[in-house]
């Protein structure tokens, strides 16, 4: 049984096959069954020919293809993993919680060019979020025939959306049973049901050769067109329903049985009254030894095959090789000439995926043609070379139930199709060129979307390696004449550390490719070892490509591609890889500049936030700030704690928008609130005065704010709210509630707005949580769900130190890779103090490093120093 939770490593499902052959016979687990059942229903109800289900994985922000129906998994490996922040329809459906409906390739190219760069075929697609209690948990996908000029019917989108919600409810039920509804393995393959066809019927009869009487069951009578009560029970009546030549064959079989002392089993085809062919199977013996059973009887079965499969002997007579494949790529039939053309008997072909039975058919160019046939649902024709030198004309004819492959011998073409792995041979046909170029185009498009250097490296890994069949990649960046390892995948752990920080005077290929500006290719590890004696080698077999990363004539670093088998590099491949290295270098250079500028911008924002909070007996306070992940614009969220004589003012606020303007307005508002508070104004006057000031400044922005004046000695608090989310209060015994504070409109709208004051009391042991909306908002979910989720988290954390509580409250948001908004959090916990004793402020958070390496997984958070008990 395959497991999908993050605590157990799942066994491989279908590694290297389309069907997961090593899992045959295993009972699918409950999660797989629920997903498969929902997917089959979605594909059938939407008129699709294929579909899939993406689920969350254990990696934050990463979706994995969990189930794939109607398509072979290995051919779609580049789409097994999808980050939620990528410009693909699956990501948009997940982020927004709304379906994405694409009627044809033109619409898909306009909205999602990166999808069409990878799958440049005419098809329509529907993408619906799978929503559970905590928002989107996955995406339901249906592929169907393109309908140019005709938008997807709203009813189709609504139907799929309902199925997504229903699947989300089912997954929530599994989670309540302790099933972890995340996916870590390869996608489970699902064979879709065949198209509707006449049912298969089987009729049975007994023929007494002595008397000529025939007894038939109701099904046989129905096949031959008799009413059961009207069947006369004679062989003549049976023969009347057959054509003459079939009658003679039937009597010949009876005579053979009568003359044989051995059991007889024979099969023949009979044509029924409607002209369709039926299969007849007879068995019997004239005399049985010992006489303990009836003698001279034939037992027969007549099988009505409905529309029926292709008769094998008919295909064997054709002057072309014929293969039949199901939608998962498995060979279900091969005629005699196909055996000869492919050099394998049927026993080695039938039942196996075509690229497993015929490894040469797994060439990327041929795979692309097969993808085109399956997705575009149109015939595809191309030339293929069967090693070592036999050329075949291949035609693919797709249908709902599979693909028919027609093969024919042909002469060697003037060009060599699909030559990316054939050194020295050129790319000829349009199909071959598109196959060779579409993934580099996808890489180029993806690089324009990558902002940080880490995102650039992830894109290169996801797009470049599959395009060229690589298994390893490493990126080194140049800094002060030394190359530093910045990204790696696929290499043995720690192997590349010895090359980290090498100078430009060291003779290794990663350095020389940069200093000379020339790419270096090694067809085998032996060639690499011969060229660089003594260099450490991580494998005995394989190939390597070393690419210089140079942008606008300036060295950026070097890129290493590793392959797990020896291979050649054609001139076209070398040219494409060299050009792509230039694109990667430009993207990395842009990302380095972005990282430096982002660090400076964050440093500016950090300077506007308090780095130390006052400490008084009776109350602990702690503030956290977490920047968004989208763009480098600084935000307008802020928090503050101010001593105002007898009281302690707790403030949280959020200026609309991002950027320098929002940060500047935030700084002005923070200063205004501080000035009003230090002049001992009442909470109402503080907020009203700040509102009028914002209107006078006329920055074209508005802001929300929550201001609470707390007496640490008595716990009495006076609260004012201006369009800001309600605070959460945890009582000493653990009960937690979302406060219902009346409030006024946001600041900056109406100079005469009124802001009522609400008085309440914090008991010793109580904790108050003030926050901005970035903590509770999630794409595709209602904000009330986010507030309830926060309330439950605050209630669950218990009486832990304040810093630990803040970690748990903000931890889930910190792990998210797609965080569109900034987050500010201010916690205040009252404890049993006896008086107001002023303590020296604790040191604040340090100024952030201006050099942020791009291996850092998330933008950092700023933390104001906590009080003594935390």
């Amino acid at each position: 049984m395959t497991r999908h939770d993050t605590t157990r490593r799942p066994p491989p499902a279908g590694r290297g096959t389309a069907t997961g052959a090593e899992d045959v016979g295993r009972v699918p687990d409950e999660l797989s069954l629920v997903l498969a059942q929902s997917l089959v229903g979605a594909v059938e109800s939407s008129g699709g020919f294929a579909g899939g289900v993406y689920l969350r994985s254990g990696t934050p922000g990463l979706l994995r293809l969990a189930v794939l129906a109607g398509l072979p998994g290995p051919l779609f490996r580049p789409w097994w993993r999808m980050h939620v922040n990528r410009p693909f329809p699956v990501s948009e459906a997940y982020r927004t919680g709304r379906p994405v409906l694409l009627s044809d390739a033109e619409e898909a190219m306009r909205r999602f060019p990166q999808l069409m760069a990878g799958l440049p075929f005419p098809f329509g697609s529907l993408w619906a979020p799978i929503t559970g209690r905590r928002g989107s948990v996955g995406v339901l996908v249906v592929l169907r025939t393109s309908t140019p000029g005709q938008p997807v019917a709203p009813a189709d989108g609504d139907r799929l959306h309902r199925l997504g919600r229903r699947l989300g409810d089912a997954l929530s039920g599994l989670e309540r049973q302790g099933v972890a509804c995340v996916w870590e393995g390869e996608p489970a393959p699902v064979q879709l049901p065949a198209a509707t066809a006449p049912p298969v019927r089987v009729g049975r009869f007994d023929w007494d050769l002595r008397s000529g009487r025939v007894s038939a069951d109701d099904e046989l009578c129905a096949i031959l067109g008799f009413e059961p009560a009207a069947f006369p029970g004679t062989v003549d009546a049976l023969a009347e329903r057959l054509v003459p030549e079939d009658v003679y064959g039937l009597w010949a079989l009876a005579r053979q049985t009568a003359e044989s002392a051995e059991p007889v089993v024979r099969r023949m085809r009979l044509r029924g009254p409607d002209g369709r062919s039926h299969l007849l199977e007879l068995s019997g013996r004239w005399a049985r030894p010992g006489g303990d059973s009836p003698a001279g009887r034939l037992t027969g079965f007549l099988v009505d095959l409905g529309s029926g499969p292709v008769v094998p002997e008919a295909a064997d007579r054709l002057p072309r090789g014929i293969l039949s494949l199901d939608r998962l790529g498995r060979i279900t039939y091969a005629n005699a000439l196909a055996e000869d053309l492919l050099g394998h008997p049927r026993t080695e072909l039938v039942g196996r995926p075509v690229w497993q039975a015929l490894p040469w058919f797994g060439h990327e160019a041929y795979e692309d043609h097969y993808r085109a046939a399956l997705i575009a649902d149109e015939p595809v024709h191309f030339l293929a070379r069967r090693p070592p030198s036999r050329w075949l004309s291949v035609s693919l004819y797709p249908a709902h139930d599979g693909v028919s492959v027609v093969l024919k011998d042909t002469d060697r073409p003037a060009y060599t199709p699909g030559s990316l792995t054939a050194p020295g041979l050129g790319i000829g046909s349009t199909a071959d060129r598109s196959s060779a170029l579409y993934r580099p185009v996808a890489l180029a498009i993806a690089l324009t979307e990558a902002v940080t250097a880490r995102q650039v490296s992830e894109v290169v890994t996801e797009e470049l390696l599959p395009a060229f069949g690589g298994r390893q990649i490493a990126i080194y960046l140049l800094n002060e004449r030394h190359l530093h390892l910045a990204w790696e995948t696929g290499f043995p752990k720690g192997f590349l550390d010895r090359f980290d920080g090498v100078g430009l005077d060291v003779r290794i290929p990663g350095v020389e490719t940069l200093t000379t500006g020339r790419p270096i290719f090694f067809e085998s590890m032996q060639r690499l070892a011969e060229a660089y004696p003594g260099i450490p080698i991580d494998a005995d077999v394989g190939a390597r490509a070393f690419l210089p990363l140079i942008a606008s004539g300036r060295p950026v670093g070097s890129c290493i591609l590793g392959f797990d088998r020896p291979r050649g590099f054609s001139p076209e491949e070398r040219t494409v890889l060299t050009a792509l290295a230039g694109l990667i270098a430009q993207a990395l250079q842009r990302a380095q500049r972005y990282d430096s500028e982002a660090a400076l911008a964050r440093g500016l924002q950090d300077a506007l936030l308090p780095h130390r909070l006052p400490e008084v007996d009776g109350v602990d306070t702690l503030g956290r700030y977490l920047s968004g992940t989208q763009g480098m614009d600084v935000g307008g969220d802020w928090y503050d704690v101010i001593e105002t004589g007898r009281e302690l003012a707790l403030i949280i606020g959020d200026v609309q928008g991002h950027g320098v303007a929002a940060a500047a307005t935030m700084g002005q508002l923070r200063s205004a609130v501080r000035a009003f508070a230090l002049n001992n104004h009442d909470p109402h006057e503080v907020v009203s005065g700040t509102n009028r000031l914002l209107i006078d400044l006329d920055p074209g922005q508005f802001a929300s704010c929550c201001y609470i004046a707390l007496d640490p000695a008595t716990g009495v608090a006076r609260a004012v709210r201006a369009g800001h989310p309600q605070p959460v209060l945890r009582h000493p015994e653990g009960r937690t509630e979302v406060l219902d504070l009346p409030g006024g409109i946001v600041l900056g709208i109406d100079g005469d707005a009124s802001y009522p004051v609400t008085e309440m009391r914090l008991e010793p042991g109580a904790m108050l949580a003030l926050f901005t909306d970035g903590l509770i908002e999630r794409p595709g979910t209602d904000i009330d769900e986010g507030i309830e989720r926060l309330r439950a988290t605050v209630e669950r954390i218990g009486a832990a130190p304040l810093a630990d509580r803040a970690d748990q409250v903000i931890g889930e948001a910190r792990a998210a890779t797609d965080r569109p908004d900034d987050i500010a959090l201010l916690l205040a916990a009252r404890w049993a103090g006896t008086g107001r004793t002023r303590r020296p402020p604790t040191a604040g958070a340090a100024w952030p490093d201006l050099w942020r390496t791009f291996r850092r997984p998330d933008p950092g958070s700023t933390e104001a120093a906590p009080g003594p008990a935390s």
Side-chain angles (χ1 to χ4, degrees):
M1 182 179 293
T2 306
R3 300 290 184 185
H4 310 288
D5 56 43
T6 57
T7 60
R8 293 179 292 270
R9 182 178 180 181
R15 181 178 299 162
T17 73
T19 60
E22 54 267 49
D23 282 340
V24 172
R26 297 180 180 177
V27 179
D29 61 20
E30 195 166 0
L31 175 60
S32 302
L33 288 173
V34 168
L35 297 178
Q37 180 181 1
S38 298
L39 178 58
V40 170
V43 172
E44 291 188 321
S45 65
S46 302
F49 57 78
V53 175
Y54 284 89
L55 273 191
R56 293 178 302 178
S57 69
T59 303
L62 179 66
L63 302 177
R64 285 187 179 271
L65 184 60
V67 176
L68 181 62
L71 294 172
L75 264 64
F76 293 85
R77 186 179 293 272
W79 295 273
W80 285 6
R81 302 165 69 252
M82 190 65 62
H83 288 275
V84 297
N85 59 352
R86 297 292 301 280
F88 283 89
V90 60
S91 305
E92 180 170 310
Y94 182 86
R95 290 195 311 267
T96 64
R98 296 188 297 272
V100 175
L101 311 177
L102 304 174
S103 61
D104 58 12
E106 182 178 347
E107 183 181 7
M109 177 61 77
R110 185 174 65 253
R111 295 179 58 186
F112 302 98
Q114 197 163 322
L115 171 70
M116 299 311 296
L119 295 171
F121 316 120
F123 67 98
S125 57
L126 313 178
W127 315 73
I130 302 169
T131 51
R133 294 176 300 168
R134 301 181 179 179
S136 296
V137 298
V139 177
L140 190 60
V141 186
V142 172
L143 305 184
R144 61 186 198 175
T145 304
S146 175
T147 56
Q150 300 180 14
V152 176
D156 290 346
D158 293 342
R159 184 188 308 110
L160 195 64
H161 202 184
R162 288 195 300 271
L163 291 175
R165 289 195 293 266
R166 191 180 305 165
L167 177 54
D169 293 340
L171 296 181
S172 297
L174 290 180
E175 287 183 334
R176 288 192 293 271
Q177 299 172 24
V179 177
C181 293
V182 296
W183 197 272
E184 296 294 347
E186 298 182 1
V190 176
Q191 182 73 283
L192 290 171
T196 302
V200 175
R201 297 182 296 175
V202 179
R204 184 179 185 278
F205 68 92
D206 283 316
W207 181 6
D208 187 337
L209 297 180
R210 296 181 186 276
S211 65
R213 298 292 300 174
V214 174
S215 60
D217 65 5
D218 292 351
E219 197 69 27
L220 184 131
C221 293
I223 294 173
L224 296 180
F226 285 108
E227 287 295 331
F231 180 61
T234 65
V235 72
D236 292 333
L238 186 65
E240 287 176 359
R241 300 290 170 155
L242 306 177
V243 296
E245 56 268 31
D246 289 346
V247 174
Y248 295 138
L250 183 62
W251 278 104
L253 180 61
R255 181 179 290 265
Q256 183 182 17
T257 302
E259 294 176 351
S260 174
E262 300 297 327
V264 174
V265 177
R266 291 291 185 270
R267 223 177 244 181
M268 63 187 305
R269 289 189 178 272
L270 301 180
R271 199 168 68 198
D274 57 359
R276 288 188 295 111
S277 176
H278 302 315
L279 178 66
L280 176 67
E281 182 174 286
L282 292 173
S283 62
R285 177 188 294 172
W286 180 252
R288 297 184 182 275
D292 56 349
S293 62
R297 302 187 71 88
L298 287 180
T299 299
F301 292 91
L302 187 64
V303 183
D304 177 6
L305 296 172
S307 57
V310 174
V311 179
E313 53 266 29
D316 280 342
R317 290 190 288 269
L318 292 175
R320 287 174 173 79
I322 304 292
L323 292 179
S324 180
L325 314 179
D326 65 13
R327 293 286 299 193
L328 300 185
R330 297 171 297 194
I331 301 172
T332 59
Y333 171 75
N335 73 346
L337 188 54
E339 293 181 289
D340 176 64
L341 292 174
L342 300 175
H344 293 279
R346 296 183 206 189
T347 54
E348 295 180 7
L349 297 173
V350 174
R352 302 178 65 192
V354 62
W355 45 86
Q356 198 178 72
L358 307 170
W360 56 270
F361 202 80
H363 185 290
E364 185 171 325
Y366 309 152
E367 287 185 352
D368 192 47
H369 290 306
Y370 191 47
R371 275 191 291 267
L374 288 172
I375 293 182
D377 198 28
E378 296 176 353
V380 173
H381 312 279
F382 60 96
L383 300 182
R385 184 178 66 181
R386 195 201 96 186
S389 58
R390 190 167 189 172
W391 285 89
L392 302 175
S393 170
V394 183
S395 296
L396 306 176
Y397 297 93
H400 179 88
D401 299 332
V403 177
S404 293
V405 184
V406 179
L407 308 169
K408 186 178 180 181
D409 256 328
T410 188
D411 296 331
R412 176 187 174 92
Y415 64 89
T416 303
S419 63
L420 288 181
T421 57
L425 300 177
I427 301 176
S429 72
T430 302
D432 296 320
R433 292 192 188 100
S434 65
S435 173
L437 295 177
Y438 85 79
R439 277 213 175 109
V441 169
L443 172 63
I445 295 174
L447 286 175
T448 65
E449 303 285 344
V451 177
T452 67
R454 179 181 179 84
Q455 290 173 348
V456 171
S457 301
E458 289 176 342
V459 166
V460 172
T461 301
E462 294 171 5
E463 302 289 352
L464 188 62
L465 284 184
F468 294 90
R471 291 292 181 267
Q472 301 165 314
I473 191 169
I475 294 177
Y476 287 83
L477 291 183
L478 182 64
N479 183 32
E480 297 183 350
R481 296 188 57 80
H482 287 77
L483 285 174
H484 296 277
L485 180 62
W487 179 271
E488 64 169 299
T489 184
F491 287 93
K493 185 176 181 181
F495 173 77
L496 295 178
D497 292 346
R498 70 197 74 192
F499 303 108
D500 192 9
V502 297
L504 296 186
D505 56 346
V506 178
R507 187 178 180 271
I508 58 175
V511 171
E512 292 194 359
T513 190
L514 181 61
T515 56
T516 64
R518 294 183 295 103
I520 305 173
F521 299 93
F522 295 99
E523 289 80 2
S524 68
M525 300 304 289
Q526 180 181 358
R527 294 283 183 87
L528 174 59
E530 292 172 355
Y532 294 88
I535 189 172
I537 301 295
D538 65 306
D540 296 330
V541 296
R544 291 288 184 274
F546 296 85
L547 308 175
L549 302 180
I550 299 175
S552 303
R554 301 182 61 182
V556 176
S558 58
C559 176
I560 305 172
L561 295 181
F563 305 84
D564 55 9
R565 293 194 301 269
R567 55 159 291 166
F569 297 91
S570 68
E572 292 81 12
E573 261 191 312
R574 296 175 186 233
T575 300
V576 170
L577 283 171
T578 303
L580 291 177
L583 290 177
I584 296 168
Q586 292 175 5
L588 284 171
Q589 188 181 59
R590 183 178 67 247
Q592 284 181 314
R593 185 167 58 249
Y594 168 90
D595 288 340
S596 298
E597 293 174 354
L600 290 171
R602 295 301 180 195
L604 170 63
Q605 186 176 39
D606 292 341
L608 295 174
L609 294 170
H611 284 196
R612 53 172 63 100
L613 299 179
E615 298 182 12
V616 297
D617 283 346
V619 176
D620 291 340
T621 58
L622 183 142
R624 291 279 177 86
Y625 182 88
L626 194 62
S627 56
T629 60
Q630 297 182 0
M632 72 173 187
D633 287 340
V634 292
D637 296 24
W638 93 93
Y639 60 86
D640 208 347
V641 178
I642 307 168
E643 290 184 276
T644 63
R646 292 181 51 235
E647 294 179 317
L648 197 65
L650 311 173
I651 307 108
I652 192 111
D654 185 1
V655 177
Q656 168 221 9
H658 293 80
V660 176
T665 302
M666 179 264 281
Q668 291 172 314
L669 291 184
R670 180 182 172 228
S671 298
V673 171
R674 177 171 284 272
F676 285 123
L678 290 175
N679 283 324
N680 292 316
H681 285 281
D682 288 337
H684 167 74
E685 295 172 335
V686 172
V687 176
S688 297
T690 304
N691 176 47
R692 289 190 294 270
L693 175 65
L694 181 58
I695 293 174
D696 291 342
L697 291 174
D698 192 24
Q701 294 173 306
F702 55 85
S704 66
C705 178
C706 185
Y707 182 99
I708 298 178
L710 172 65
D711 185 338
T714 65
V716 174
R718 296 178 296 158
V720 175
R721 193 173 61 86
H724 200 81
Q726 298 278 7
V728 172
L729 175 62
R730 188 181 193 277
H731 295 276
E733 74 279 7
R735 181 175 61 87
T736 304
E737 63 176 319
V738 180
L739 296 179
D740 186 15
L741 305 179
I745 63 174
V746 293
L747 308 177
I749 301 296
D750 181 5
D752 296 325
S754 176
Y755 297 96
V757 178
T758 302
E759 186 171 304
M760 56 184 178
R761 186 170 186 274
L762 267 66
E763 300 292 340
M767 185 190 77
L768 195 62
L770 289 78
F771 52 90
T772 56
D773 54 10
L775 184 61
I776 55 176
E777 287 185 340
R778 280 187 180 179
T781 62
D782 190 272
I783 193 170
D784 291 337
E785 295 181 19
I787 293 175
E788 172 56 27
R789 185 171 59 250
L790 173 63
R791 187 206 65 78
T793 300
V794 173
E795 184 172 84
R796 188 173 57 249
I797 57 181
L802 208 58
D804 292 345
R805 301 190 200 188
D807 286 340
Q808 295 187 54
V809 170
I810 212 167
E812 189 173 351
R814 188 193 299 275
T817 58
D818 182 22
R819 191 169 53 250
D821 203 359
D822 296 358
I823 295 172
L825 174 68
L826 178 62
L827 300 183
R830 184 166 179 255
W831 48 286
T834 57
R836 293 183 49 78
T837 303
R838 178 73 176 269
R839 297 193 182 99
T842 310
W847 187 274
D849 293 335
L850 296 185
W851 172 254
R852 294 185 179 181
T853 63
F854 68 86
R855 284 184 290 174
R856 183 173 181 174
D858 297 307
S861 65
T862 302
E863 174 183 334
S870 61

